[in-house]
CSV table of all heavy atoms in Angstrom, one decimal:
chain,number,residue,atom,x,y,z
E,21,VAL,N,32.8,86.6,150.4
E,21,VAL,CA,32.8,88.0,151.0
E,21,VAL,C,33.0,89.0,149.8
E,21,VAL,O,33.3,88.6,148.7
E,21,VAL,CB,34.0,88.1,152.0
E,21,VAL,CG1,33.7,87.3,153.2
E,21,VAL,CG2,35.3,87.9,151.4
E,22,SER,N,32.8,90.2,150.1
E,22,SER,CA,32.7,91.2,149.0
E,22,SER,C,33.9,91.3,148.1
E,22,SER,O,33.8,91.5,146.9
E,22,SER,CB,32.4,92.6,149.6
E,22,SER,OG,33.5,93.0,150.4
E,23,SER,N,35.1,91.1,148.7
E,23,SER,CA,36.2,91.3,147.8
E,23,SER,C,36.7,90.0,147.1
E,23,SER,O,37.6,90.0,146.3
E,23,SER,CB,37.4,91.8,148.7
E,23,SER,OG,38.0,90.7,149.4
E,24,ASP,N,36.1,88.8,147.5
E,24,ASP,CA,36.6,87.5,147.0
E,24,ASP,C,35.8,86.9,145.8
E,24,ASP,O,34.6,86.7,145.9
E,24,ASP,CB,36.6,86.6,148.2
E,24,ASP,CG,37.5,85.4,147.9
E,24,ASP,OD1,37.9,85.2,146.8
E,24,ASP,OD2,37.8,84.6,148.9
E,25,SER,N,36.6,86.7,144.7
E,25,SER,CA,35.9,86.2,143.5
E,25,SER,C,36.1,84.6,143.4
E,25,SER,O,35.7,84.1,142.4
E,25,SER,CB,36.4,86.9,142.3
E,25,SER,OG,37.8,86.5,142.0
E,26,HIS,N,36.8,84.0,144.3
E,26,HIS,CA,37.0,82.6,144.1
E,26,HIS,C,35.7,81.8,144.3
E,26,HIS,O,34.9,82.1,145.2
E,26,HIS,CB,38.0,82.0,145.2
E,26,HIS,CG,39.4,82.5,145.0
E,26,HIS,ND1,39.9,83.7,145.6
E,26,HIS,CD2,40.4,82.0,144.3
E,26,HIS,CE1,41.1,83.8,145.2
E,26,HIS,NE2,41.5,82.8,144.4
E,27,THR,N,35.4,80.9,143.4
E,27,THR,CA,34.2,80.2,143.5
E,27,THR,C,34.3,78.6,143.5
E,27,THR,O,33.3,78.0,143.8
E,27,THR,CB,33.3,80.5,142.3
E,27,THR,OG1,34.1,80.5,141.1
E,27,THR,CG2,32.7,82.0,142.4
E,28,TRP,N,35.4,78.1,143.2
E,28,TRP,CA,35.5,76.6,143.4
E,28,TRP,C,35.2,76.1,144.7
E,28,TRP,O,34.6,75.1,145.0
E,28,TRP,CB,36.9,76.1,143.0
E,28,TRP,CG,37.2,76.3,141.5
E,28,TRP,CD1,38.0,77.2,140.9
E,28,TRP,CD2,36.7,75.5,140.4
E,28,TRP,NE1,38.0,77.1,139.5
E,28,TRP,CE2,37.3,76.0,139.2
E,28,TRP,CE3,35.9,74.3,140.4
E,28,TRP,CZ2,37.0,75.4,138.0
E,28,TRP,CZ3,35.7,73.8,139.1
E,28,TRP,CH2,36.2,74.3,137.9
E,29,ASN,N,35.6,76.9,145.7
E,29,ASN,CA,35.3,76.6,147.1
E,29,ASN,C,33.8,76.6,147.3
E,29,ASN,O,33.3,75.7,148.0
E,29,ASN,CB,36.0,77.7,148.1
E,29,ASN,CG,35.8,79.1,147.6
E,29,ASN,OD1,35.7,79.4,146.3
E,29,ASN,ND2,35.7,80.1,148.4
E,30,LEU,N,33.1,77.5,146.7
E,30,LEU,CA,31.6,77.6,146.8
E,30,LEU,C,30.9,76.4,146.1
E,30,LEU,O,30.0,75.7,146.6
E,30,LEU,CB,31.1,78.9,146.2
E,30,LEU,CG,31.6,80.2,146.9
E,30,LEU,CD1,31.1,81.4,146.1
E,30,LEU,CD2,31.3,80.3,148.4
E,31,VAL,N,31.5,76.1,144.9
E,31,VAL,CA,30.9,75.0,144.2
E,31,VAL,C,31.0,73.7,144.9
E,31,VAL,O,30.1,72.9,145.0
E,31,VAL,CB,31.7,74.9,142.8
E,31,VAL,CG1,31.2,73.6,142.0
E,31,VAL,CG2,31.3,76.1,141.9
E,32,VAL,N,32.2,73.4,145.5
E,32,VAL,CA,32.4,72.2,146.2
E,32,VAL,C,31.6,72.2,147.6
E,32,VAL,O,31.0,71.2,147.9
E,32,VAL,CB,34.0,72.0,146.5
E,32,VAL,CG1,34.2,70.8,147.5
E,32,VAL,CG2,34.7,71.7,145.2
E,33,LEU,N,31.6,73.3,148.3
E,33,LEU,CA,30.9,73.3,149.5
E,33,LEU,C,29.4,73.1,149.3
E,33,LEU,O,28.7,72.4,150.1
E,33,LEU,CB,31.2,74.7,150.3
E,33,LEU,CG,32.6,74.8,150.9
E,33,LEU,CD1,32.8,76.2,151.4
E,33,LEU,CD2,32.8,73.8,152.0
E,34,GLN,N,28.9,73.6,148.2
E,34,GLN,CA,27.5,73.4,147.8
E,34,GLN,C,27.2,71.9,147.7
E,34,GLN,O,26.2,71.4,148.2
E,34,GLN,CB,27.1,74.3,146.6
E,34,GLN,CG,25.7,73.9,146.1
E,34,GLN,CD,25.1,74.9,145.1
E,34,GLN,OE1,25.9,75.7,144.6
E,34,GLN,NE2,23.9,74.7,144.8
E,35,LEU,N,28.1,71.2,146.9
E,35,LEU,CA,27.8,69.8,146.7
E,35,LEU,C,27.9,69.1,148.0
E,35,LEU,O,27.1,68.2,148.3
E,35,LEU,CB,28.8,69.3,145.7
E,35,LEU,CG,28.7,69.7,144.2
E,35,LEU,CD1,29.9,69.3,143.4
E,35,LEU,CD2,27.4,69.1,143.6
E,36,VAL,N,28.9,69.4,148.8
E,36,VAL,CA,29.1,68.7,150.1
E,36,VAL,C,27.8,68.9,150.9
E,36,VAL,O,27.2,67.9,151.5
E,36,VAL,CB,30.3,69.3,150.9
E,36,VAL,CG1,30.2,68.9,152.4
E,36,VAL,CG2,31.6,68.9,150.2
E,37,LEU,N,27.2,70.1,151.0
E,37,LEU,CA,26.0,70.3,151.8
E,37,LEU,C,24.8,69.7,151.2
E,37,LEU,O,24.0,69.0,151.9
E,37,LEU,CB,25.8,71.8,152.0
E,37,LEU,CG,26.7,72.5,152.9
E,37,LEU,CD1,26.8,74.1,152.7
E,37,LEU,CD2,26.4,72.3,154.4
E,38,GLU,N,24.7,69.7,149.9
E,38,GLU,CA,23.5,69.0,149.2
E,38,GLU,C,23.6,67.5,149.4
E,38,GLU,O,22.6,66.9,149.6
E,38,GLU,CB,23.6,69.4,147.7
E,38,GLU,CG,23.0,70.9,147.5
E,38,GLU,CD,23.1,71.3,146.1
E,38,GLU,OE1,23.7,70.6,145.2
E,38,GLU,OE2,22.6,72.4,145.7
E,39,GLU,N,24.8,67.0,149.4
E,39,GLU,CA,24.9,65.6,149.6
E,39,GLU,C,24.6,65.1,151.0
E,39,GLU,O,24.3,64.0,151.2
E,39,GLU,CB,26.4,65.1,149.2
E,39,GLU,CG,26.5,65.1,147.7
E,39,GLU,CD,28.0,64.9,147.2
E,39,GLU,OE1,28.8,64.5,148.0
E,39,GLU,OE2,28.2,65.2,146.0
E,40,LEU,N,24.6,66.1,151.9
E,40,LEU,CA,24.2,65.8,153.3
E,40,LEU,C,22.7,66.1,153.4
E,40,LEU,O,22.1,66.0,154.5
E,40,LEU,CB,24.9,66.7,154.3
E,40,LEU,CG,26.4,66.4,154.5
E,40,LEU,CD1,27.0,67.6,155.3
E,40,LEU,CD2,26.6,65.1,155.2
E,41,GLY,N,22.0,66.5,152.4
E,41,GLY,CA,20.6,66.6,152.3
E,41,GLY,C,20.1,68.0,152.6
E,41,GLY,O,18.9,68.2,153.0
E,42,HIS,N,21.0,69.0,152.6
E,42,HIS,CA,20.6,70.3,153.0
E,42,HIS,C,20.3,71.2,151.6
E,42,HIS,O,20.7,70.8,150.6
E,42,HIS,CB,21.6,71.0,153.8
E,42,HIS,CG,21.9,70.2,155.0
E,42,HIS,ND1,21.0,69.9,156.0
E,42,HIS,CD2,23.1,69.6,155.4
E,42,HIS,CE1,21.5,69.2,156.9
E,42,HIS,NE2,22.8,68.9,156.6
E,43,GLN,N,19.6,72.2,151.9
E,43,GLN,CA,19.2,73.1,150.8
E,43,GLN,C,20.1,74.3,150.8
E,43,GLN,O,20.2,75.1,151.8
E,43,GLN,CB,17.7,73.7,151.0
E,43,GLN,CG,16.8,72.9,150.2
E,43,GLN,CD,15.5,73.7,150.0
E,43,GLN,OE1,15.3,74.7,150.7
E,43,GLN,NE2,14.7,73.3,149.0
E,44,VAL,N,20.8,74.5,149.6
E,44,VAL,CA,21.8,75.6,149.6
E,44,VAL,C,21.4,76.7,148.7
E,44,VAL,O,21.0,76.5,147.5
E,44,VAL,CB,23.2,75.0,149.1
E,44,VAL,CG1,24.2,76.1,149.0
E,44,VAL,CG2,23.6,73.9,150.1
E,45,HIS,N,21.5,77.9,149.2
E,45,HIS,CA,21.4,79.1,148.4
E,45,HIS,C,22.8,79.7,148.3
E,45,HIS,O,23.3,80.3,149.2
E,45,HIS,CB,20.5,80.2,149.1
E,45,HIS,CG,19.1,79.6,149.5
E,45,HIS,ND1,18.1,79.5,148.6
E,45,HIS,CD2,18.7,78.9,150.6
E,45,HIS,CE1,17.0,78.9,149.2
E,45,HIS,NE2,17.5,78.5,150.4
E,46,ASN,N,23.3,79.5,147.1
E,46,ASN,CA,24.7,79.9,146.9
E,46,ASN,C,24.7,81.3,146.3
E,46,ASN,O,24.3,81.5,145.2
E,46,ASN,CB,25.4,78.9,145.9
E,46,ASN,CG,26.8,79.1,145.7
E,46,ASN,OD1,27.4,80.2,146.0
E,46,ASN,ND2,27.5,78.0,145.2
E,47,LEU,N,25.2,82.2,147.0
E,47,LEU,CA,25.2,83.6,146.6
E,47,LEU,C,26.3,84.0,145.6
E,47,LEU,O,26.3,85.1,145.1
E,47,LEU,CB,25.2,84.6,147.8
E,47,LEU,CG,24.1,84.4,148.8
E,47,LEU,CD1,24.1,85.5,149.8
E,47,LEU,CD2,22.7,84.3,148.2
E,48,GLY,N,27.3,83.1,145.4
E,48,GLY,CA,28.3,83.3,144.4
E,48,GLY,C,29.4,84.2,144.9
E,48,GLY,O,29.7,84.4,146.1
E,49,ALA,N,30.1,84.7,143.9
E,49,ALA,CA,31.4,85.5,144.1
E,49,ALA,C,31.1,86.9,144.5
E,49,ALA,O,30.0,87.5,144.3
E,49,ALA,CB,32.3,85.5,142.9
E,50,CYS,N,32.1,87.5,145.2
E,50,CYS,CA,32.1,89.0,145.5
E,50,CYS,C,30.7,89.5,145.9
E,50,CYS,O,30.2,90.4,145.3
E,50,CYS,CB,32.5,89.8,144.2
E,50,CYS,SG,34.0,89.3,143.6
E,51,VAL,N,30.1,88.9,147.0
E,51,VAL,CA,28.9,89.3,147.5
E,51,VAL,C,29.0,90.6,148.3
E,51,VAL,O,29.6,90.6,149.4
E,51,VAL,CB,28.2,88.2,148.3
E,51,VAL,CG1,26.8,88.5,148.7
E,51,VAL,CG2,28.3,86.8,147.6
E,52,PRO,N,28.4,91.7,147.8
E,52,PRO,CA,28.4,92.9,148.6
E,52,PRO,C,27.7,92.6,150.0
E,52,PRO,O,26.7,91.9,150.1
E,52,PRO,CB,27.6,93.9,147.8
E,52,PRO,CG,27.6,93.4,146.4
E,52,PRO,CD,27.6,91.8,146.6
E,53,ASP,N,28.2,93.3,151.1
E,53,ASP,CA,27.6,93.1,152.4
E,53,ASP,C,26.1,93.3,152.3
E,53,ASP,O,25.4,92.4,153.0
E,53,ASP,CB,28.2,94.1,153.4
E,53,ASP,CG,29.8,93.9,153.5
E,53,ASP,OD1,30.3,93.0,152.9
E,53,ASP,OD2,30.4,94.8,154.3
E,54,GLU,N,25.6,94.3,151.7
E,54,GLU,CA,24.2,94.6,151.7
E,54,GLU,C,23.4,93.5,151.1
E,54,GLU,O,22.3,93.2,151.5
E,54,GLU,CB,23.9,95.9,151.0
E,54,GLU,CG,24.8,97.1,151.3
E,54,GLU,CD,26.2,97.0,150.6
E,54,GLU,OE1,26.1,97.0,149.3
E,54,GLU,OE2,27.2,96.9,151.3
E,55,LEU,N,23.9,93.0,150.0
E,55,LEU,CA,23.2,91.9,149.3
E,55,LEU,C,23.1,90.7,150.2
E,55,LEU,O,22.1,90.0,150.2
E,55,LEU,CB,23.9,91.6,147.9
E,55,LEU,CG,23.3,90.4,147.2
E,55,LEU,CD1,21.9,90.8,146.7
E,55,LEU,CD2,24.2,89.9,146.0
E,56,MET,N,24.3,90.4,150.8
E,56,MET,CA,24.3,89.2,151.7
E,56,MET,C,23.3,89.3,152.8
E,56,MET,O,22.5,88.4,153.1
E,56,MET,CB,25.7,89.1,152.3
E,56,MET,CG,26.0,87.8,153.0
E,56,MET,SD,25.5,88.1,154.7
E,56,MET,CE,25.9,86.5,155.4
E,57,ILE,N,23.1,90.5,153.4
E,57,ILE,CA,22.2,90.8,154.5
E,57,ILE,C,20.7,90.7,153.9
E,57,ILE,O,19.9,90.0,154.5
E,57,ILE,CB,22.4,92.2,155.1
E,57,ILE,CG1,23.8,92.4,155.6
E,57,ILE,CG2,21.3,92.5,156.2
E,57,ILE,CD1,24.1,92.0,157.0
E,58,SER,N,20.5,91.3,152.8
E,58,SER,CA,19.1,91.3,152.3
E,58,SER,C,18.7,89.9,151.9
E,58,SER,O,17.6,89.5,152.1
E,58,SER,CB,18.9,92.3,151.1
E,58,SER,OG,19.7,91.9,150.0
E,59,GLU,N,19.7,89.1,151.3
E,59,GLU,CA,19.3,87.7,151.0
E,59,GLU,C,19.0,86.9,152.3
E,59,GLU,O,18.1,86.1,152.3
E,59,GLU,CB,20.4,87.0,150.2
E,59,GLU,CG,20.5,87.4,148.7
E,59,GLU,CD,19.2,87.1,148.0
E,59,GLU,OE1,19.1,85.9,147.6
E,59,GLU,OE2,18.3,87.9,147.8
E,60,CYS,N,19.8,87.1,153.4
E,60,CYS,CA,19.5,86.4,154.6
E,60,CYS,C,18.2,86.9,155.2
E,60,CYS,O,17.5,86.0,155.8
E,60,CYS,CB,20.7,86.6,155.6
E,60,CYS,SG,22.2,85.8,155.1
E,61,LEU,N,17.9,88.1,155.1
E,61,LEU,CA,16.6,88.6,155.6
E,61,LEU,C,15.5,87.9,154.9
E,61,LEU,O,14.4,87.6,155.4
E,61,LEU,CB,16.5,90.1,155.6
E,61,LEU,CG,17.4,90.9,156.6
E,61,LEU,CD1,17.4,92.3,156.3
E,61,LEU,CD2,16.9,90.6,158.0
E,62,ARG,N,15.6,87.8,153.6
E,62,ARG,CA,14.6,87.2,152.8
E,62,ARG,C,14.5,85.7,153.0
E,62,ARG,O,13.3,85.2,153.1
E,62,ARG,CB,15.0,87.5,151.3
E,62,ARG,CG,13.9,87.1,150.2
E,62,ARG,CD,14.3,87.5,148.9
E,62,ARG,NE,15.5,86.7,148.3
E,62,ARG,CZ,15.4,85.5,147.7
E,62,ARG,NH1,14.2,85.0,147.6
E,62,ARG,NH2,16.4,84.9,147.3
E,63,LEU,N,15.6,85.0,153.1
E,63,LEU,CA,15.6,83.6,153.1
E,63,LEU,C,15.5,83.0,154.6
E,63,LEU,O,15.1,81.9,154.8
E,63,LEU,CB,16.8,83.0,152.5
E,63,LEU,CG,16.9,83.3,151.0
E,63,LEU,CD1,18.4,83.1,150.5
E,63,LEU,CD2,16.0,82.4,150.2
E,64,ARG,N,15.8,83.8,155.6
E,64,ARG,CA,15.9,83.4,157.0
E,64,ARG,C,16.5,82.0,157.1
E,64,ARG,O,15.8,81.0,157.5
E,64,ARG,CB,14.5,83.4,157.6
E,64,ARG,CG,13.8,84.8,157.6
E,64,ARG,CD,14.7,85.7,158.6
E,64,ARG,NE,14.0,86.9,158.8
E,64,ARG,CZ,13.1,87.1,159.8
E,64,ARG,NH1,12.8,86.1,160.6
E,64,ARG,NH2,12.5,88.3,159.9
E,65,PRO,N,17.8,81.8,156.7
E,65,PRO,CA,18.4,80.5,156.7
E,65,PRO,C,18.5,79.9,158.1
E,65,PRO,O,18.6,80.7,159.1
E,65,PRO,CB,19.7,80.7,156.1
E,65,PRO,CG,20.0,82.2,156.4
E,65,PRO,CD,18.7,82.9,156.4
E,66,ASP,N,18.7,78.6,158.2
E,66,ASP,CA,19.1,78.0,159.5
E,66,ASP,C,20.6,78.1,159.7
E,66,ASP,O,21.0,77.9,160.9
E,66,ASP,CB,18.8,76.4,159.4
E,66,ASP,CG,17.3,76.2,159.1
E,66,ASP,OD1,16.5,76.9,159.6
E,66,ASP,OD2,17.0,75.4,158.2
E,67,LEU,N,21.4,78.4,158.7
E,67,LEU,CA,22.8,78.4,158.8
E,67,LEU,C,23.4,79.3,157.7
E,67,LEU,O,23.0,79.3,156.6
E,67,LEU,CB,23.4,77.0,158.6
E,67,LEU,CG,25.0,76.9,158.6
E,67,LEU,CD1,25.6,77.3,159.9
E,67,LEU,CD2,25.4,75.4,158.3
E,68,ILE,N,24.4,80.2,158.1
E,68,ILE,CA,25.1,81.0,157.1
E,68,ILE,C,26.5,80.5,157.1
E,68,ILE,O,27.2,80.4,158.1
E,68,ILE,CB,25.0,82.5,157.5
E,68,ILE,CG1,23.6,83.0,157.6
E,68,ILE,CG2,25.8,83.3,156.5
E,68,ILE,CD1,23.5,84.4,158.2
E,69,VAL,N,27.0,80.1,155.9
E,69,VAL,CA,28.3,79.6,155.7
E,69,VAL,C,29.1,80.6,154.9
E,69,VAL,O,28.8,80.9,153.7
E,69,VAL,CB,28.4,78.2,155.0
E,69,VAL,CG1,29.8,77.8,154.8
E,69,VAL,CG2,27.6,77.2,155.9
E,70,VAL,N,30.1,81.2,155.5
E,70,VAL,CA,31.0,82.2,154.8
E,70,VAL,C,32.3,81.5,154.3
E,70,VAL,O,32.9,80.8,155.2
E,70,VAL,CB,31.3,83.4,155.6
E,70,VAL,CG1,32.1,84.4,154.9
E,70,VAL,CG2,30.1,84.0,156.2
E,71,SER,N,32.6,81.6,153.1
E,71,SER,CA,33.8,81.0,152.6
E,71,SER,C,34.7,82.0,151.9
E,71,SER,O,34.2,82.7,150.9
E,71,SER,CB,33.5,79.8,151.6
E,71,SER,OG,34.6,79.4,150.9
E,72,SER,N,36.0,82.0,152.2
E,72,SER,CA,36.8,83.0,151.5
E,72,SER,C,38.3,82.4,151.5
E,72,SER,O,38.7,81.8,152.5
E,72,SER,CB,36.9,84.3,152.3
E,72,SER,OG,37.8,85.2,151.6
E,73,VAL,N,38.9,82.6,150.3
E,73,VAL,CA,40.3,82.1,150.2
E,73,VAL,C,41.3,83.1,149.8
E,73,VAL,O,42.5,82.8,149.6
E,73,VAL,CB,40.4,80.8,149.3
E,73,VAL,CG1,39.6,79.7,149.9
E,73,VAL,CG2,40.0,81.1,147.9
E,74,ASN,N,40.9,84.4,149.5
E,74,ASN,CA,41.7,85.3,148.8
E,74,ASN,C,42.7,86.0,149.9
E,74,ASN,O,43.5,86.8,149.5
E,74,ASN,CB,41.0,86.4,148.0
E,74,ASN,CG,40.2,87.4,148.8
E,74,ASN,OD1,40.2,87.3,150.1
E,74,ASN,ND2,39.7,88.4,148.2
Side-chain angles (χ1 to χ4, degrees):
Chain E
V21 295
S22 66
S23 79
D24 195 347
S25 73
H26 291 90
T27 47
W28 290 103
N29 44 331
L30 302 175
V31 171
V32 169
L33 288 170
Q34 172 164 9
L35 288 172
V36 166
L37 286 162
E38 284 174 352
E39 286 168 17
L40 291 172
H42 306 297
Q43 262 203 341
V44 178
H45 307 272
N46 187 340
L47 303 187
C50 303
V51 185
D53 297 358
E54 316 77 61
L55 176 66
M56 190 272 180
I57 306 271
S58 65
E59 283 298 281
C60 287
L61 287 173
R62 186 173 71 82
L63 295 161
R64 296 299 188 87
D66 303 315
L67 171 66
I68 301 171
V69 176
V70 182
S71 168
S72 175
V73 297
N74 74 352

